[in-house]
Amino acid sequence: MARNPNERGGGGDRERGDRDRGRQRGGGDRDRDRREDRDDEFKDKLVHINRVAKVVKGGRRFAFAALVVVGDGKGRVGFGTGKAREVPEAIRKATDQAKRTMIRVPLREGRTLHHDIKGHFGAGRVTLRAAPAGTGIIAGGPMRAVFETMGVQDVVGKCNGTTNPYNMVKATFDALRNSYSPRQVAARRGKKVGDIIGRREGGPSPAQAAAAAQAAEPDAASAAAATE
């Protein structure tokens, strides 16, 4: 008995459809694995959570607002806020926003800042100072969370004017955005990195040392002539 050609075609379409769905499932699994790998390299800290209420007809409707800081421990850090009816959902929204708004901060020897910086937001004023090895993180709660997730090991931070965690975190990020490495400063000013580092460490830069040597040569010549 001869088979209907339409039936063979239908079977082939079903087989191709199964193969395509299998490839799509495989691609989805790979994408999910890549996303999980990216999430594993980040560490997040819950800085603050607040319960807010909206007054509606018949009572109050409660929600939760979360402030989360996310970093990779290698100089990248970001913060985000989220609001939802449940705490886990608010934290998830804040974490996703923090990952989308991350910034990179240059670190000195991978442990501290390159120089002292100041930042402000609203009534908050923060001062961040580089520290020698072994100092640790000397800072308040919200600022400490930023430094720990960013990977800073030695830093001294002080906040004045407010205790609002939102303003403290935003002021800290305002200061970190103004942090530059000697290489960045040298490229912007058209100088060598050695000139910037020598000036930062308190000693004369090579250009200053050469100018001082040239200025000292006439004095030495006049002193020798006077003795003769």
Side-chain angles (χ1 to χ4, degrees):
M1 179 178 180
R3 294 183 179 180
N4 189 349
N6 294 330
E7 292 180 358
R8 288 199 300 271
D13 293 340
R14 284 194 297 271
E15 291 176 359
R16 285 193 295 272
D18 293 339
R19 287 196 298 268
D20 293 339
R21 284 192 294 271
R23 282 195 293 268
Q24 291 175 359
R25 284 196 297 269
D29 294 339
R30 287 192 294 270
D31 294 340
R32 185 166 57 252
D33 293 339
R34 283 195 291 266
R35 285 196 300 268
E36 290 176 356
D37 292 339
R38 287 197 299 267
D39 294 340
D40 291 340
E41 67 179 359
F42 296 124
K43 53 183 178 180
D44 57 272
K45 282 186 175 293
L46 177 63
V47 178
H48 183 72
I49 190 162
N50 185 36
R51 191 183 73 170
V52 296
K54 179 181 179 181
V55 179
V56 296
K57 183 178 179 180
R60 291 186 296 177
R61 184 174 298 168
F62 292 100
F64 296 91
L67 174 63
V68 175
V69 177
V70 176
D72 63 350
K74 301 176 183 178
R76 293 182 61 201
V77 66
F79 77 96
T81 59
K83 184 186 292 185
R85 299 290 297 274
E86 301 293 336
V87 174
E89 183 65 16
I91 295 175
R92 186 193 63 79
K93 289 182 178 180
T95 303
D96 293 342
Q97 182 181 0
K99 291 178 181 178
R100 292 194 302 267
T101 60
M102 297 185 74
I103 63 174
R104 181 174 293 278
V105 181
L107 299 180
R108 182 181 182 183
E109 300 174 359
R111 59 171 186 82
T112 187
L113 302 173
H114 281 283
H115 55 87
D116 300 348
I117 46 179
K118 294 183 178 180
H120 73 279
F121 183 86
R125 301 288 187 275
V126 299
T127 302
L128 311 181
R129 304 192 65 180
T135 303
I137 299 176
I138 302 177
M143 297 172 65
R144 175 179 289 272
V146 175
F147 295 137
E148 288 179 350
T149 55
M150 187 171 60
V152 175
Q153 301 174 11
D154 304 298
V155 69
V156 178
K158 178 66 177 176
C159 181
N160 297 314
T162 184
T163 58
N164 187 325
Y166 288 86
N167 286 350
M168 291 177 66
V169 169
K170 291 179 180 180
T172 303
F173 272 81
D174 180 71
L176 294 176
R177 290 189 182 96
N178 296 324
S179 176
Y180 302 99
S181 66
R183 188 181 300 275
Q184 293 172 333
V185 176
R188 185 174 58 187
R189 298 176 60 185
K191 294 182 176 293
K192 296 181 180 180
V193 178
D195 298 341
I196 306 299
I197 294 178
R199 192 171 303 170
R200 182 186 66 184
E201 293 177 351
S205 64
Q208 292 174 340
Q214 292 177 357
E217 287 178 0
D219 296 337
S222 60
T227 55
E228 292 177 354

